[in-house]
Amino acid sequence: MNMRANLRIDNARVLDVYSGEIADMPVCVREGRILGFSRLEADETVDAGGAFLLPGLIDAHIHLESSMLCPACFAQAVLPRGTVTVIADPHEIANVKGTAGLAYMLEATRQLPLDVRFMLPSCVPALPVEDAGASLSAEDLLPWLDSPRVAGLGEMMNVPGVLNGDAELMAKARAALDRGKKVDGHSPGLSGQSLDAYIAAGISTDHECSTVEEMQERIRRGMYVLLRESTASRDLLRLLPGVTPANARRCLFCSDDLHPAEILENGHIDHHLRLAVAAGLDPVSAVRMATLNAAECYGLIDKGGIAPGRVADMILVDNLRDFRVRAVWAAGRLVAGNGRMLEALPPVDDAAMRGSVRLAPLPAHPFALRIPGGKARVIRLLPRSLITGHHVRTVNVTADGFFDCALNPGLVKVAVLERHHATGKIGVGLLDENYGLQGGAIATSVAHDSHNLVVVGDNDDDMRLAVEETARLGGGVVMAADSRILAALPLPVAGLMSDRDAEETADAMRELLRLARVHFHIREEFDALMALSFLPLPVIPHLKITARGLFDVDVFRFVHIAAP
Amino acid sequence: MNMRANLRIDNARVLDVYSGEIADMPVCVREGRILGFSRLEADETVDAGGAFLLPGLIDAHIHLESSMLCPACFAQAVLPRGTVTVIADPHEIANVKGTAGLAYMLEATRQLPLDVRFMLPSCVPALPVEDAGASLSAEDLLPWLDSPRVAGLGEMMNVPGVLNGDAELMAKARAALDRGKKVDGHSPGLSGQSLDAYIAAGISTDHECSTVEEMQERIRRGMYVLLRESTASRDLLRLLPGVTPANARRCLFCSDDLHPAEILENGHIDHHLRLAVAAGLDPVSAVRMATLNAAECYGLIDKGGIAPGRVADMILVDNLRDFRVRAVWAAGRLVAGNGRMLEALPPVDDAAMRGSVRLAPLPAHPFALRIPGGKARVIRLLPRSLITGHHVRTVNVTADGFFDCALNPGLVKVAVLERHHATGKIGVGLLDENYGLQGGAIATSVAHDSHNLVVVGDNDDDMRLAVEETARLGGGVVMAADSRILAALPLPVAGLMSDRDAEETADAMRELLRLARVHFHIREEFDALMALSFLPLPVIPHLKITARGLFDVDVFRFVHIAAP
């Protein structure tokens, strides 16, 4: 009983998420777990100098791939920010690489001090009409579900499938529930009887609320609601007025998708805490949302609090307003301090994830667009939104009926090229002047959810050049102008992730975004690249484009560019 | 999507435990689960007349056997009180019948509308020095742990074993934790470093707090605390001041041990609700403690709230002060109304549990007590307490050194007879005048935890008669006076449970307790029978008696009745 500790932290104000109190007491750690609060002899002692000791932060829902960082570099970016656990849905890489992608993500995170738990992607591909790199059946997922690092089934985006009791989807949900694991939801705008039916399928979370009403309706029906603050969708402050002392235990934080520059500049879940507390949420409730609530929701029984037997994930912060992270212990080991990692994270073999861009040889005129009638369906990109406009325009065409940008100032071409199986499928469409691009082309292999190759441009030559360079790099973002490469961010890992660290990747991204404004004149209101990355996602209204052509989401079918 | 409901409840004020709100909305049920809150067509509709609809109540910790009722009769008693789920630790029957007892309890509850989940008894026997009917090793428990109706491992009463890392105990805990199941605690008085170590073994609840300080210390260390209101230990109102808005989510209700008359007169978890609300707890927090919190604690993911997909366990109460239960639905079926069951519960084959009292033939003088020196260790029973006094008295003995009650007015004999394996072990001791018994003998086969046969009396003849009648009945409580049987409550099922219903059993108990006062003159402050039933439990201070003799709990060893 006279146990010796490996570590004792003295002089800390310990935030106890269970009682909601803050107590001055020593915290002892042994073999990676909390031993207790007695002043035991210890191999090492740390004087916290009166700072606040909190449980390690938990991001309840994230697609790691969206950071464009490999798992180790992602860990290096977020650990110094206090995130010690993330619930990751690897559905981007699964759309490219299927179960090999899952295997890579599990392996690449196995040895990290960041504790990565997985929700298996439930909807790969997002729709049957997609040309993804892989599809994942219930049978494919089954062997992965028993892993202790798999917490359940990822967001059920196929809402109609759930409501219609699609057998394959239900089999996936059943398999998770039968193992006592969770099923994440994704039901923006769903309400009333349909929402009831969706939840009754065993779905227990939603991170897609954008109004207090949506949030309240879900909490009342037994869901956990994740307050999301992502690069694409800033929901936290919109939802915060809906958090009450009575329902806060059902509220969590998540980042969903974060660009690397955003992590470096704003932070991660520490940023959520700052935002929430600055907006008036009491700090203890905020910390519980970032720790205990997430642990309870996902069944992480030995995480989420500083208490005997729990994994010793702890962070030291100066105060409960700025949440500046001074020190981070992951499973009892000091891994980061004052904003920097204290150790290098070893690289992982990613050979199987490389060379994922397999394009068929381009034809002579891959982007030729014949609209003999001169009336075209046109996509309008909207700033700060994934929703697009759909309208019909009269366009000028050549004598033989071809669209030419030179004849239609402001309109630009957009194309999606199947890039997983070299099938040669190319869908071509038009964007209106709202986006504002001129003077070249931009291509990217990050394009939800199938991650085919998207290119936009005001001339076919630069479009071809950007596509070919993206393929040569094995994926990435490429800008071409005046028949030369202007800038590029290589994303060789599945065409989604960089092999560089967060700083380098963020710098490259910033440069691309700068060029988008100064060279391509894309309107400042747009995140120029993210707007492109969501253009092919045929589950968001109204008009989208895939490698099979234009997709009218409102009527849920492909439509011809030539309007009647 | 235009689903038809089996049942729709209209005009109810639905208590939503997730948001803490009360909402007027219809509730639809289909195939035993909540469908949702739309006004669907239904096979049957119920007008709730503005009453409050709550989730079915959950007792977070109970030993069913202590009600002296078979599971079906227990269910008939508590369902009309609103209890729809209990977490039961069958450690009484396990001490008598081992795994056969577990099998019986699982089988006898399998078809009940009461949802009985089990915590496998962790400490059978309570101590190695006990003569229980069976012992349960980690290996014995293993096959039962995977049952979906087993929620984990029952109360870890062997605190020194936990603190010393006893291999067998740790193997039991590990087996439960590895399956994501819970381990219940039992750590009265434990504090500081020892409590830390106890919790760090993976123990997540305690129902033995009797002070706010004990409760707070446990909640701060991540435990769930069960506020107990049992026949033997009334802790609820003592602990209630420790429940705060910030920690209420970690608080639950439990009854632990309840006599049948108490259920009929006071109620069950509905009684806890009345007590707590009358004492000032807000009703929504109280209902959460009786529903959602217990479901969360024990991982009952589809219980504890009225929400889509959850099991349709619901109760209708007039108001949130009296909690008078008007109607009870278990898994969507109306099973009780206005205090009465609406259906009979079929009997279960209990043949294997009968004939459990196996005494060796009694010797000529089974209760002879030789104290030649005339100084004896004497047990003092204390009213409303399981703790006993231990003192040394000068007693009058016969010429050949034998104790005789006739020579020592006020002192009575107590004996414990091994009754499982007919070993003939008999321990004999003395009770002082505090208990007050005179005029005969009382015997019982309910005697924690080994459930050997206990008898007290002021003459050896009545003691023998009471013992022999108890054995003849196959267990029970028997009173003998003037060489005849005065009254008896047969408990033929494992010597613990009646085969009659709650009313008959309660009536018999009431008659026994009346006779204890009017015939045997036992002081009113005592629950005359419960005091006897805890006399052999050698884990509660200070002096106890087992079939092997007197046990001094303070020094943790057997002692001779003759004091030096």
Side-chain angles (χ1 to χ4, degrees):
Chain A
M1 272 306 301
N2 275 317
M3 224 176 214
R4 189 177 172 84
N6 300 133
L7 165 71
R8 193 183 75 227
I9 302 174
D10 290 332
N11 203 14
R13 307 171 69 180
V14 184
L15 196 154
D16 165 19
V17 291
Y18 304 103
S19 69
E21 297 161 344
I22 292 166
D24 296 332
M25 53 190 183
V27 175
C28 288
V29 173
R30 186 185 165 96
E31 290 170 7
R33 295 197 174 242
I34 308 288
L35 204 51
F37 305 118
S38 294
R39 193 171 298 280
L40 305 179
E41 288 291 314
D43 302 334
E44 186 198 347
T45 59
V46 169
D47 185 336
F52 290 82
L53 194 68
L54 278 47
L57 307 180
I58 303 175
D59 185 339
H61 174 72
I62 186 170
H63 307 286
L64 286 196
E65 306 95 308
S66 297
S67 70
M68 297 180 180
L69 301 173
C70 288
C73 291
F74 174 81
Q76 281 181 303
V78 301
L79 276 165
R81 298 305 201 139
T83 305
V84 186
T85 306
V86 301
I87 315 285
D89 177 351
H91 90 217
E92 313 304 349
I93 201 165
N95 267 282
V96 177
K97 286 287 186 180
T99 54
L102 301 184
Y104 164 74
M105 292 299 277
L106 272 150
E107 180 57 25
T109 54
R110 196 167 53 83
Q111 307 260 36
L112 294 180
L114 181 73
D115 184 0
V116 183
R117 308 290 177 110
F118 290 96
M119 303 299 277
L120 298 178
S122 63
C123 302
V124 175
L127 289 179
V129 298
E130 294 245 46
D131 293 287
S135 75
L136 291 179
S137 66
E139 206 180 334
D140 291 331
L141 295 181
L142 222 48
W144 304 83
L145 262 176
D146 289 315
S147 162
R149 291 177 57 217
V150 168
L153 187 66
E155 46 186 330
M156 294 282 256
M157 294 182 294
N158 185 352
V159 175
V162 173
L163 298 184
N164 294 323
D166 176 273
E168 186 72 16
L169 263 188
M170 292 302 101
K172 291 175 182 176
R174 201 65 261 159
L177 297 170
D178 284 348
R179 286 162 175 77
K181 303 197 171 189
K182 302 291 161 169
V183 180
D184 274 336
H186 174 111
S187 62
L190 206 64
S191 181
Q193 191 182 340
S194 298
L195 180 60
D196 286 343
Y198 184 78
I199 295 172
I203 297 171
S204 55
T205 72
D206 201 352
H207 59 271
E208 290 288 340
C209 297
S210 53
T211 67
V212 168
E213 292 67 33
E214 272 186 295
M215 174 187 179
Q216 286 173 338
E217 191 179 3
R218 279 156 183 73
I219 291 177
R220 282 181 194 137
R221 283 167 165 77
M223 274 188 155
Y224 285 90
V225 166
L226 283 56
L227 282 73
R228 172 176 60 185
E229 188 73 5
S230 74
T231 300
S233 198
R234 306 197 176 272
D235 299 306
L236 194 150
L237 294 180
R238 275 201 290 259
L239 298 180
L240 204 64
V243 179
T244 69
N247 73 17
R249 69 199 265 191
R250 311 295 292 184
C251 299
L252 284 57
F253 290 127
C254 81
S255 73
D256 204 0
D257 299 285
L258 276 187
H259 276 185
E262 173 134 4
I263 298 173
L264 296 178
E265 287 157 23
N266 290 339
H268 186 208
I269 302 300
D270 57 324
H271 176 54
H272 290 62
L273 290 174
R274 277 188 291 278
L275 280 180
V277 169
L281 184 65
D282 77 282
V284 170
S285 291
V287 171
R288 284 173 150 185
M289 288 167 63
T291 58
L292 178 64
N293 300 4
E296 285 186 354
C297 172
Y298 288 98
L300 313 181
I301 54 173
D302 56 3
K303 311 269 286 188
I306 300 174
R310 269 49 164 204
V311 176
D313 293 343
M314 300 179 289
I315 68 173
L316 208 54
V317 301
D318 280 338
N319 58 55
L320 300 182
R321 186 181 61 249
D322 303 321
F323 293 97
R324 292 291 161 202
V325 178
R326 274 207 214 163
V328 179
W329 290 269
R333 203 153 50 81
L334 185 69
V335 295
N338 296 317
R340 306 217 64 83
M341 282 298 287
L342 299 177
E343 55 188 69
L345 299 179
V348 165
D349 178 13
D350 57 14
M353 296 299 107
R354 290 179 179 254
S356 74
V357 177
R358 296 196 291 167
L359 276 183
L362 295 184
H365 302 286
F367 311 117
L369 199 54
R370 196 158 178 271
I371 312 171
K375 285 179 71 179
R377 299 177 203 274
V378 176
I379 299 171
R380 162 165 287 198
L381 287 177
L382 300 168
R384 297 189 196 87
S385 174
L386 304 182
I387 293 173
T388 58
H390 173 186
H391 56 115
V392 172
R393 285 271 283 268
T394 300
V395 295
N396 299 317
V397 294
T398 59
D400 45 358
F402 283 95
F403 178 90
D404 183 343
C405 289
L407 302 175
N408 296 276
L411 294 188
V412 295
K413 281 187 182 172
V414 54
V416 177
L417 299 88
E418 192 283 321
R419 64 100 163 170
H420 302 292
H421 305 294
T423 58
K425 291 183 194 169
I426 305 180
V428 186
L430 294 174
L431 296 187
D432 78 6
E433 50 279 289
N434 212 39
Y435 187 53
L437 178 134
Q438 49 183 280
I442 306 175
T444 178
S445 58
V446 177
H448 302 283
D449 282 347
S450 296
H451 300 295
N452 284 307
L453 219 154
V454 182
V455 62
V456 287
D458 67 354
N459 70 83
D460 288 15
D461 289 348
D462 284 334
M463 287 171 76
R464 173 187 282 268
L465 184 58
V467 164
E468 286 173 342
E469 178 67 3
T470 306
R472 194 188 67 78
L473 293 172
V477 186
V478 173
M479 292 177 163
D482 304 324
S483 302
R484 64 181 183 84
I485 302 300
L486 194 63
L489 165 60
L491 299 172
V493 182
L496 300 172
M497 291 177 276
S498 164
D499 53 6
R500 308 300 173 81
D501 70 14
E503 279 77 8
E504 279 188 70
T505 308
D507 284 347
M509 274 290 284
R510 286 193 198 97
E511 173 61 8
L512 291 171
L513 291 171
R514 189 187 68 82
L515 288 172
R517 287 197 308 280
V518 304
H519 178 88
F520 292 102
H521 306 287
I522 294 166
R523 286 171 54 193
E524 282 213 43
E525 298 95 310
F526 285 96
D527 181 318
L529 299 178
M530 187 166 319
L532 298 187
S533 291
F534 281 95
L535 257 176
L537 187 62
V539 297
I540 297 179
H542 296 280
L543 187 61
K544 295 280 176 169
I545 183 164
T546 80
R548 299 185 194 185
L550 290 175
F551 192 80
D552 183 335
V553 181
D554 300 326
V555 297
F556 229 72
R557 60 178 172 77
F558 289 101
V559 292
H560 199 279
I561 181 126
Chain B
M1 271 306 300
N2 274 317
M3 225 175 214
R4 187 176 173 85
N6 300 132
L7 165 70
R8 192 184 73 227
I9 302 174
D10 290 333
N11 204 14
R13 304 171 71 180
V14 184
L15 196 154
D16 165 19
V17 292
Y18 304 103
S19 68
E21 298 163 340
I22 292 166
D24 296 332
M25 53 191 182
V27 175
C28 289
V29 173
R30 185 186 166 94
E31 291 170 7
R33 295 198 174 242
I34 308 287
L35 204 51
F37 305 117
S38 294
R39 192 171 298 281
L40 303 179
E41 288 292 315
D43 302 335
E44 187 199 346
T45 59
V46 169
D47 185 337
F52 290 82
L53 194 68
L54 277 48
L57 306 181
I58 303 176
D59 186 339
H61 175 71
I62 186 169
H63 306 286
L64 285 196
E65 306 94 310
S66 297
S67 70
M68 297 180 181
L69 302 173
C70 288
C73 292
F74 174 83
Q76 280 180 304
V78 300
L79 276 165
R81 298 305 199 139
T83 305
V84 187
T85 306
V86 302
I87 313 286
D89 177 349
H91 91 216
E92 313 304 349
I93 201 164
N95 267 284
V96 177
K97 286 288 186 180
T99 54
L102 300 184
Y104 164 74
M105 292 299 278
L106 272 150
E107 180 56 25
T109 53
R110 195 167 52 84
Q111 307 260 37
L112 295 180
L114 181 72
D115 184 0
V116 183
R117 308 291 177 109
F118 290 96
M119 302 298 277
L120 298 179
S122 64
C123 302
V124 175
L127 290 179
V129 299
E130 294 245 45
D131 293 288
S135 76
L136 292 179
S137 66
E139 206 180 334
D140 291 331
L141 296 181
L142 223 49
W144 305 84
L145 262 177
D146 289 316
S147 161
R149 290 177 56 218
V150 168
L153 187 67
E155 46 185 331
M156 294 282 256
M157 296 182 293
N158 185 351
V159 174
V162 174
L163 299 185
N164 295 323
D166 176 272
E168 186 72 15
L169 263 188
M170 292 302 101
K172 291 176 182 175
R174 200 68 260 157
L177 296 171
D178 283 349
R179 286 161 176 77
K181 303 197 171 189
K182 302 291 162 170
V183 180
D184 273 338
H186 173 112
S187 63
L190 206 64
S191 181
Q193 191 182 340
S194 299
L195 181 60
D196 286 343
Y198 184 78
I199 295 172
I203 297 171
S204 54
T205 71
D206 201 352
H207 59 271
E208 291 287 340
C209 297
S210 54
T211 68
V212 168
E213 292 66 34
E214 273 187 294
M215 174 186 176
Q216 287 174 336
E217 192 179 2
R218 280 157 182 72
I219 291 178
R220 283 180 193 136
R221 282 165 166 79
M223 273 188 156
Y224 284 90
V225 165
L226 283 55
L227 282 72
R228 172 176 59 185
E229 189 73 4
S230 73
T231 300
S233 199
R234 306 198 176 273
D235 299 307
L236 193 151
L237 294 181
R238 276 201 289 262
L239 299 179
L240 204 64
V243 179
T244 69
N247 73 18
R249 70 198 264 193
R250 310 296 291 184
C251 299
L252 285 56
F253 290 127
C254 80
S255 73
D256 204 357
D257 298 286
L258 276 187
H259 277 186
E262 174 135 5
I263 297 172
L264 296 178
E265 287 156 24
N266 289 339
H268 186 207
I269 301 301
D270 56 326
H271 176 55
H272 290 62
L273 289 175
R274 276 187 292 278
L275 281 180
V277 169
L281 184 64
D282 77 281
V284 169
S285 291
V287 171
R288 284 173 151 185
M289 287 167 64
T291 57
L292 178 64
N293 299 4
E296 285 186 354
C297 173
Y298 288 99
L300 314 181
I301 54 172
D302 54 4
K303 311 268 286 189
I306 299 174
R310 267 54 163 200
V311 176
D313 293 343
M314 300 179 290
I315 68 173
L316 208 53
V317 300
D318 278 339
N319 58 54
L320 301 182
R321 185 181 60 250
D322 304 320
F323 293 98
R324 292 292 160 202
V325 178
R326 273 208 215 164
V328 180
W329 289 268
R333 202 153 49 83
L334 185 69
V335 295
N338 297 317
R340 305 219 64 82
M341 282 299 288
L342 300 176
E343 56 188 69
L345 298 179
V348 165
D349 179 13
D350 56 15
M353 296 300 107
R354 292 181 178 252
S356 74
V357 177
R358 296 196 292 167
L359 276 184
L362 294 184
H365 301 287
F367 312 117
L369 201 53
R370 197 158 177 271
I371 311 170
K375 284 178 71 178
R377 298 177 203 273
V378 175
I379 299 171
R380 162 164 288 197
L381 288 177
L382 300 169
R384 297 190 195 87
S385 175
L386 305 182
I387 293 173
T388 58
H390 172 187
H391 56 116
V392 172
R393 285 270 283 266
T394 302
V395 295
N396 301 317
V397 295
T398 59
D400 47 355
F402 283 95
F403 178 90
D404 183 343
C405 288
L407 303 176
N408 295 277
L411 294 189
V412 295
K413 283 187 182 172
V414 54
V416 177
L417 299 90
E418 192 283 321
R419 64 100 162 170
H420 303 292
H421 304 296
T423 58
K425 290 183 195 169
I426 305 180
V428 186
L430 295 173
L431 295 187
D432 78 6
E433 50 280 288
N434 212 41
Y435 186 53
L437 178 134
Q438 48 183 282
I442 307 176
T444 178
S445 59
V446 177
H448 302 282
D449 283 346
S450 296
H451 301 294
N452 284 308
L453 219 153
V454 183
V455 62
V456 287
D458 65 354
N459 70 85
D460 288 15
D461 289 348
D462 285 334
M463 286 172 75
R464 172 187 282 268
L465 184 58
V467 164
E468 287 173 341
E469 177 67 3
T470 307
R472 194 190 66 80
L473 293 172
V477 186
V478 173
M479 292 176 164
D482 305 322
S483 301
R484 62 179 185 89
I485 301 301
L486 195 63
L489 166 59
L491 299 172
V493 181
L496 300 172
M497 290 177 277
S498 164
D499 53 7
R500 308 299 173 82
D501 70 15
E503 279 78 8
E504 279 188 69
T505 308
D507 284 346
M509 275 290 284
R510 286 193 199 97
E511 173 61 7
L512 291 172
L513 291 171
R514 190 187 67 82
L515 289 171
R517 287 196 309 279
V518 304
H519 179 88
F520 292 100
H521 306 287
I522 294 167
R523 286 172 54 194
E524 282 212 41
E525 298 95 309
F526 284 96
D527 181 317
L529 300 179
M530 187 167 318
L532 298 187
S533 291
F534 281 95
L535 256 175
L537 187 61
V539 297
I540 297 181
H542 296 278
L543 187 61
K544 295 280 176 168
I545 183 163
T546 79
R548 301 185 194 187
L550 290 174
F551 192 80
D552 182 336
V553 181
D554 300 325
V555 297
F556 230 71
R557 58 179 172 78
F558 289 100
V559 291
H560 199 278
I561 182 125

